[in-house]
Amino acid sequence: MNDYRLFGADTSPYSIKVRAFLRYKGLAFDWISRSRANEAAFQANAQRVATVPLLVSPTRPASQDSTAMLAALEADHPEPSAVPDDPACAVIALVLEDYGDEWLNKCMFQQRWSQSPDREAAALRVLTQLYDGKRPRAYKAQQTQIAERMAARLPLVGANAENRETLDSSWRRFALRLNDHLQDHLFIFGGRPSVADFAIAAQFQQMLLDPTPADWLQNNAPFVVPGANIWNTRMPADRSKT
């Protein structure tokens, strides 16, 4: 068993964000895709909410807040650094991390669950994960239940019919500006990533799983696409578990 255990899901941008950060830091960890098979282990470490990611650390209490996780990992493992050298840029990186977590997530959630065929495809991914990577034989009814339940959550995350146009134009405009920036820079603040890169890349990585936003990104933001996937390749230090 590795020192760190990360309960997560490939359908969770916050899980992807933390997993990518662990990979960047070069830390050995167990990636545990949350499913029915490991629910007891998850609940034994979870706090009040039954959400992923859940990071179990050798030196700190278990955490389910991705921002707190990255801050703790940076403090415990300062190299390679994920903090821009310029203090002002370091502050802006934190602001952009929050932008990715709180605003881009609304955009991603709306793209995924408010339209077809995105919500049906996403619901099947969620269902397959819950069944340990295997699609159940009779899955249509459960797939529909997941899609309907998640669509009903749209207003709860601040994505509804009234602000659909605002969210849609917002993430596309940001993607175009980020694409222009990444033509001349490997990361947002130059030669190494910051927490902003991990938060924003995680949301776009999720959009690339969904047909509608994926098609737009691939056609309009070609420099954003590889940046979103840069930390999504399994590393030697990873140990995947169910």
Side-chain angles (χ1 to χ4, degrees):
M1 180 181 295
N2 290 315
D3 286 342
Y4 290 96
R5 287 186 293 154
L6 179 62
F7 290 83
D10 286 321
T11 54
S12 159
Y14 304 111
S15 298
I16 301 304
K17 171 188 172 185
V18 178
R19 185 174 68 181
F21 200 76
L22 285 163
R23 287 171 171 169
Y24 171 66
K25 290 293 184 178
L27 299 172
F29 66 97
D30 292 325
W31 165 255
I32 306 171
S33 181
R34 187 183 174 192
S35 69
R36 299 188 307 170
N38 54 56
E39 185 63 14
F42 173 83
Q43 293 293 345
N45 291 281
Q47 299 170 331
R48 295 183 180 181
V49 293
T51 59
V52 291
L54 166 65
L55 182 65
V56 181
S57 164
T59 58
R60 294 176 180 265
S63 175
Q64 289 174 273
D65 183 324
S66 69
T67 298
M69 292 178 205
L70 265 59
L73 289 168
E74 182 67 33
D76 293 344
H77 307 279
E79 296 297 333
S81 176
V83 180
D85 293 329
D86 184 280
C89 289
V91 172
I92 296 171
L94 294 174
V95 174
L96 288 174
E97 180 191 16
D98 196 55
Y99 170 82
D101 286 351
E102 303 299 334
W103 183 258
L104 279 183
N105 181 254
K106 298 182 193 301
C107 302
M108 183 281 295
F109 200 89
Q110 184 184 64
Q111 289 292 299
R112 174 167 292 175
W113 298 112
S114 71
Q115 59 195 357
S116 294
D118 305 84
R119 61 172 163 251
E120 290 77 18
L124 185 56
R125 291 197 303 273
V126 171
L127 183 61
T128 302
Q129 171 207 311
L130 292 175
Y131 280 84
D132 306 313
K134 299 178 182 178
R135 188 179 71 183
R137 182 172 299 177
Y139 68 90
K140 286 289 186 180
Q142 294 181 78
Q143 179 187 18
T144 299
Q145 287 179 335
I146 291 172
E148 291 177 348
R149 183 170 69 248
M150 297 305 291
R153 290 183 58 84
L154 283 162
L156 297 177
V157 301
N160 50 49
E162 288 74 19
N163 66 2
R164 178 184 177 88
E165 184 176 340
T166 298
L167 291 174
D168 198 35
S169 62
S170 174
W171 76 263
R172 294 172 192 260
R173 182 172 62 251
F174 177 78
L176 291 174
R177 292 178 177 176
L178 180 60
N179 189 73
D180 289 342
H181 180 74
L182 293 178
Q183 291 187 54
D184 300 313
H185 304 84
L186 186 58
F187 299 104
I188 294 176
F189 293 100
R192 67 170 185 255
S194 70
V195 292
D197 294 272
F198 291 100
I200 290 169
Q203 301 298 334
F204 281 126
Q205 186 272 339
Q206 289 296 299
M207 288 189 185
L208 287 167
L209 298 178
D210 301 321
T212 303
D215 182 69
W216 188 92
L217 284 166
Q218 288 162 357
N219 287 320
N220 295 278
F223 288 91
V224 172
V225 172
N229 286 319
I230 190 171
W231 299 109
N232 204 38
T233 302
R234 187 177 178 184
M235 303 294 184
D238 297 8
R239 282 178 41 176
S240 297
K241 292 187 174 185
T242 57

